[in-house]
Amino acid sequence: MVATCVLDECVANGTTCLMGQTCNDPDQTVTGDWTCECNAPTTGSGSQMAATCVLDECVANVMTCTAAGQTCNDPNTSPATTGDWTCDCVAPSTCECNAPSTGSAMQTAATCILDECTANSATCTGVMPAQTCNDPNTLATSLNDWTCDCVAPQSGSATTKAATCVFVSECIAKGMTCTAAGQNCTDPDFMVPDNWECECLAPATGKAVMMVATCMIDECVANAATCPMGQT
């Protein structure tokens, strides 16, 4: 009977495949079908030529990211570049991060940062007088905690909206400087910043702006009547 002839093309062409690749001849009864196949964990194939192999590290590490509700990204899938995969947060928070949040982590789940003042600061700065926006917790999981805070000498704060600001005496914050020295604190104009004063207690006199006063006592004020007529 007629023989069935086979030809394993990899015998002659196997050296074409690079290190980390294997030559494969899927049908040895036909010619021109041999390939270079990348060895695991890399993937890729080349027909009658060396393959271009890729190594997507997310194949092995994706669970680290998805367990935290994030996506895995390998920016360079060349087998020569390893250890560069990242966990990226999913919108609206991200961590290679998709806008508006920021943050990234190499080879571990990322901590995503979302400063809500980035989107909401105009609510605070657009009023008169202008207020400041503050996000006390910028973790992407902490939402709707941003505040508008009044600027001194006004006081007040509101969550997720403009605050109602009122003028307050600077002595509330600075008064201890005076009382610790046995003096009174006075704020002559609540609308003017940095004008609080320490004032001496009677019968002493004296005052100083934003500092302890030097007090003086003129004893003649209390004792002048002791001196007879014609004396001073």
Side-chain angles (χ1 to χ4, degrees):
M1 60 182 293
V2 176
T4 299
C5 300
V6 296
L7 174 62
D8 185 350
E9 294 181 280
C10 285
V11 173
N13 299 298
T15 56
T16 301
C17 302
L18 304 176
M19 183 179 296
Q21 302 178 15
T22 301
C23 184
N24 178 47
D25 189 351
D27 187 345
Q28 295 181 5
T29 63
V30 297
T31 60
D33 63 340
W34 64 275
T35 60
C36 288
E37 305 288 342
C38 299
N39 297 336
T42 62
T43 59
S45 180
S47 178
Q48 301 183 67
M49 61 186 297
T52 299
C53 299
V54 298
L55 175 60
D56 187 347
E57 295 182 278
C58 285
V59 173
N61 298 295
V62 65
M63 286 300 296
T64 299
C65 305
T66 56
Q70 301 168 14
T71 59
C72 186
N73 176 46
D74 188 352
N76 189 336
T77 56
S78 168
T81 303
T82 59
D84 60 341
W85 62 276
T86 61
C87 287
D88 300 342
C89 300
V90 179
S93 64
T94 60
C95 302
E96 191 152 78
C97 291
N98 299 330
S101 59
T102 58
S104 183
M106 186 76 71
Q107 302 183 54
T108 187
T111 298
C112 301
I113 301 301
L114 175 61
D115 188 343
E116 294 183 279
C117 285
T118 301
N120 298 297
S121 62
T123 300
C124 307
T125 59
V127 297
M128 290 299 291
Q131 303 169 16
T132 58
C133 185
N134 176 48
D135 188 349
N137 188 340
T138 55
L139 288 178
T141 53
S142 178
L143 300 176
N144 297 321
D145 59 345
W146 61 275
T147 61
C148 288
D149 299 330
C150 301
V151 178
Q154 293 184 304
S155 177
S157 181
T159 302
T160 68
K161 63 182 180 179
T164 299
C165 300
V166 294
F167 287 96
V168 296
S169 172
E170 292 182 285
C171 286
I172 294 175
K174 308 294 186 179
M176 284 299 297
T177 300
C178 305
T179 56
Q183 302 174 12
N184 284 333
C185 181
T186 60
D187 188 349
D189 189 342
F190 291 177
M191 299 184 66
V192 177
D194 299 330
N195 70 330
W196 60 275
E197 300 172 339
C198 287
E199 188 169 8
C200 302
L201 302 180
T205 59
K207 60 184 179 180
V209 178
M210 299 175 60
M211 62 187 299
V212 173
T214 300
C215 298
M216 301 178 63
I217 297 179
D218 186 349
E219 294 181 277
C220 287
V221 173
N223 298 295
T226 303
C227 300
M229 185 180 297
Q231 298 180 11
T232 57

